[in-house]
């Protein structure tokens, strides 16, 4: 039997309302893990209830269910569907802003002018004030995102290139909120476009994931290997729910010596307004790593190292 594209399989199961298959489980697992990673209080069971029926029950009588958690979980289902329908579209401002508008539709942020839902941030933000992880200033976001779009336009099934493009999006943090979820949706969509195995980042790896993003300029192997592990997980899903039915590529080895050709400093290291915002500019992740040469990989890694010689 002829194998089909993964995106076509997912869309077919969606359109035929197949229950319990790859599309069904992708929707629930992706929405639960990605939202829970960002603070959603919904359980896996409640996420499944919401997908199945459009309603949910509290796990116990004293539970409070936040309206925004319900809205954003439902919106994630819709954003995933939208990404499937636009899988071969280029990653550009229109695409990422459309996803952001879908994710935040009907939430308490939708009509907050300072949130600028469906557009780039207009107020500076940080990933972690305690850890000092600052992001690109609003005035510099358009230039930084052009570099992100360029990386995605040239993307191949290359573990380092995939990790770098994702890190560039997350370190730019182009939106007021929802950057992690949009970045993971874009990465999933782009791997579908390449007919490769997508990455479904699990909430149980949240701490490893945030650490890997933070340390990427010095130790890219943490993020590269973590994303490979998450792709292994999704590959097992493919072979469980659609064995021998889907064609896909999966390069699961990477060569540290070969990545030097990919290394470019972030374009906004020379962007305007840096001199006016030293408290942020001096702490951009890329500001201290203009040449971005990776250090030797540590002997112990949080995931299985897969460098090839």
């Amino acid at each position: 039997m002829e194998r089909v594209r993964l995106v076509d399989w997912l869309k077919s199961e969606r359109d035929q309302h197949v229950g319990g298959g790859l599309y069904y489980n992708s929707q629930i697992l992706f929405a639960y893990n990605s939202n829970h990673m960002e603070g959603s209080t919904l359980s896996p069971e409640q996420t499944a209830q919401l997908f199945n029926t459009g309603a949910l029950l509290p796990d116990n009588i004293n539970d409070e269910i936040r309206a925004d958690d319900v809205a954003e979980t439902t919106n994630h289902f819709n954003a995933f569907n939208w990404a499937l329908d636009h899988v071969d579209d280029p990653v550009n401002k229109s695409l990422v802003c459309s996803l952001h508008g879908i994710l935040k539709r009907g939430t308490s942020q939708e009509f907050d002018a300072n949130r600028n839902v469906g557009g780039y941030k207009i107020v500076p933000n940080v990933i972690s004030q305690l850890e000092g992880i600052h992001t690109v200033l609003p005035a510099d976001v358009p230039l930084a995102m052009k570099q992100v779009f360029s990386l995605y336009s040239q993307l191949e099934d290359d573990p380092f290139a995939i990790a770098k493009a994702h890190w560039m999006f997350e370190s730019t943090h182009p939106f007021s909120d929802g950057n992690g979820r949009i970045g993971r949706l874009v990465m999933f969509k782009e791997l579908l476009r390449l007919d490769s195995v997508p990455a479904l980042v699990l909430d149980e790896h949240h701490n490893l994931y945030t650490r890997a993003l933070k340390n990427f300029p010095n130790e890219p192997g943490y993020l590269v290997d973590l994303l490979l592990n998450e792709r292994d997980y999704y590959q097992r899903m493919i072979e469980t729910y659609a064995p021998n039915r889907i064609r896909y590529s999966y390069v699961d080895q990477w060569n540290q010596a070969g990545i030097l050709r990919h290394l470019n400093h972030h374009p906004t290291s020379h962007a305007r307004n840096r001199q006016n915002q030293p408290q942020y500019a001096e702490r951009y992740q890329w500001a201290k790593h203009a040449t971005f040469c990776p250090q030797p990989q540590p002997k112990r890694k949080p995931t299985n190292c897969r460098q090839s010689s």
Side-chain angles (χ1 to χ4, degrees):
M1 186 174 295
E2 184 179 358
R3 298 189 182 213
V4 301
R5 293 184 75 191
L6 175 55
V7 64
D8 291 338
W9 183 275
L10 292 170
K11 289 166 66 175
S12 176
E13 287 197 344
R14 177 194 66 184
D15 297 343
Q16 296 179 51
H17 305 286
V18 175
L22 183 59
Y23 167 78
Y24 174 88
N25 282 282
S26 297
Q27 274 279 31
I28 293 172
L29 285 169
F30 200 175
Y32 167 73
N33 283 283
S34 207
N35 280 298
H36 200 261
M37 203 177 298
E38 307 301 334
S40 173
T41 59
L42 299 191
S43 67
E45 294 77 11
Q46 289 171 326
T47 304
Q49 290 171 12
L50 197 57
F51 184 75
N52 290 328
T53 68
L56 54 82
L57 296 171
D59 286 337
N60 64 68
I61 195 170
N62 295 318
D63 276 357
E64 292 184 356
I65 298 175
R66 298 189 306 217
D68 275 2
D69 290 347
V70 175
E72 290 183 348
T73 300
T74 301
N75 291 344
H76 197 282
F77 299 147
N78 295 332
F80 184 82
N81 282 332
W82 191 91
L84 293 183
D85 291 330
H86 294 81
V87 75
D88 291 316
D89 293 357
V91 177
N92 54 26
K93 181 179 180 180
S94 175
L95 185 138
V96 298
C97 288
S98 293
L99 283 172
H100 190 252
I102 294 170
L103 181 67
K104 291 296 178 178
R105 186 174 297 153
T107 68
S108 60
Q109 298 178 3
E110 184 177 17
F111 299 109
D112 182 342
N114 288 326
R115 295 290 187 170
N116 196 32
V117 168
Y120 291 155
K121 65 187 177 186
I122 58 177
V123 176
N125 57 7
V126 299
I127 298 175
S128 172
Q129 185 69 46
L130 288 175
E131 296 186 65
I133 305 175
H134 293 264
T135 63
V136 171
L137 290 170
D140 299 335
V141 166
L143 180 59
M145 289 302 290
K146 285 183 179 180
Q147 179 69 7
V148 174
F149 301 149
S150 176
L151 289 174
Y152 274 117
S153 71
Q154 303 171 53
L155 194 66
E156 298 176 350
D157 188 5
D158 173 340
F160 175 80
I162 293 164
K164 183 184 178 185
H166 184 59
W167 170 78
M168 287 282 282
F169 183 98
E170 297 303 339
S171 62
T172 299
H173 239 54
F175 302 112
S176 62
D177 189 39
N179 293 281
R181 284 165 287 183
I182 300 302
R184 291 185 288 275
L185 279 164
V186 169
M187 177 170 58
F188 194 100
K189 173 257 183 210
E190 282 295 277
L191 288 170
L192 286 179
R193 177 180 65 82
L194 295 175
D195 295 324
S196 189
V197 176
L200 201 163
V201 182
L202 301 178
D203 180 56
E204 65 189 79
H205 299 150
H206 184 194
N207 289 339
L208 293 176
Y209 172 65
T210 54
R211 182 185 300 172
L213 286 169
K214 176 184 176 182
N215 293 334
F216 185 79
N218 288 324
E219 298 172 345
Y222 284 104
L223 185 60
V224 173
D225 283 346
L226 178 63
L227 293 180
L228 284 172
N229 278 354
E230 306 298 45
R231 295 175 73 191
D232 285 348
Y233 178 87
Y234 198 81
Q235 184 183 37
R236 291 193 294 272
M237 287 180 59
I238 292 172
E239 296 305 331
T240 297
Y241 295 110
N244 303 315
R245 300 298 304 277
I246 295 170
R247 69 172 189 268
Y248 58 83
S249 68
Y250 184 19
V251 176
D252 64 353
Q253 301 287 322
W254 68 290
N255 184 342
Q256 182 183 355
I259 69 175
L260 293 177
R261 63 187 174 86
H262 293 284
L263 302 182
N264 296 297
H265 66 277
H266 200 293
T268 51
S269 58
H270 301 293
R272 64 187 183 281
N273 294 335
R274 286 186 66 222
Q275 66 274 20
N276 298 327
Q277 300 284 349
Q279 70 273 31
Y280 288 94
E282 293 304 316
R283 305 184 77 170
Y284 285 168
Q285 289 195 44
W286 42 261
K288 296 183 291 183
H289 305 282
T291 56
F292 191 34
C293 292
Q295 302 300 312
Q297 298 301 302
K299 293 181 180 180
R300 295 186 63 188
K301 305 179 72 64
T303 58
N304 294 326
C305 180
R306 311 204 202 179
Q307 297 179 47
S308 60
S309 58

